[in-house]
Amino acid sequence: MGKKTDLISILVIVIIGMFIPFLGSIVITFGLDFTNFNDLLKIGSTFGWFLLIFAIELFAVFIYYQLTNKIANKKLEENKPK
């Protein structure tokens, strides 16, 4: 598999893995009912906000990784014997 396909697969597994404990904790804490449509909308919107905040955090980590990678590669090129 390709590098990006592996990354997408891992992220999907992580998101699904995060949803199960998130769902359980929301239901237990707030006593939400799965049969009530309004409660399902609350759960969905809360998880959506959670994913949005997670995506922002993941983007920040990605930018940090890219910047440090460029700096490290630049230092390696400078120290490389000619």
Side-chain angles (χ1 to χ4, degrees), residues 13-14 16 18 24-29 32-34 37 52-53 57 61-62 64 69 72 82:
I13 291 169
V14 166
I16 292 170
M18 286 188 311
S25 64
I26 291 293
V27 169
I28 291 169
T29 302
L32 300 175
D33 184 15
F34 289 119
F37 184 71
L52 180 67
I53 294 167
E57 178 187 3
V61 169
F62 177 76
Y64 173 77
N69 189 29
K82 294 179 181 179

Side-chain angles (χ1 to χ4, degrees), residues 1 3 5 8 11 13-14 17 24 30 35 47 49 57 59 61 69 77 79-80:
M1 290 175 75
K3 191 181 205 180
T5 311
I8 291 171
L11 285 175
I13 291 169
V14 166
F30 298 109
T35 59
F47 191 66
W49 282 108
E57 178 187 3
F59 182 72
V61 169
N69 189 29
E77 286 296 321
N79 294 333
K80 194 179 213 181

Side-chain angles (χ1 to χ4, degrees), residues 26-81:
I26 291 293
V27 169
I28 291 169
T29 302
F30 298 109
L32 300 175
D33 184 15
F34 289 119
T35 59
N36 187 348
F37 184 71
N38 287 331
D39 287 350
L40 286 175
L41 286 177
K42 288 178 187 177
I43 292 169
S45 66
T46 304
F47 191 66
W49 282 108
F50 175 77
L51 285 179
L52 180 67
I53 294 167
F54 180 72
I56 292 169
E57 178 187 3
L58 190 62
F59 182 72
V61 169
F62 177 76
I63 294 297
Y64 173 77
Y65 173 76
Q66 291 294 326
L67 289 174
T68 57
N69 189 29
K70 283 185 180 183
I71 293 170
N73 284 336
K74 188 176 180 181
K75 286 183 180 180
L76 284 174
E77 286 296 321
E78 290 174 357
N79 294 333
K80 194 179 213 181

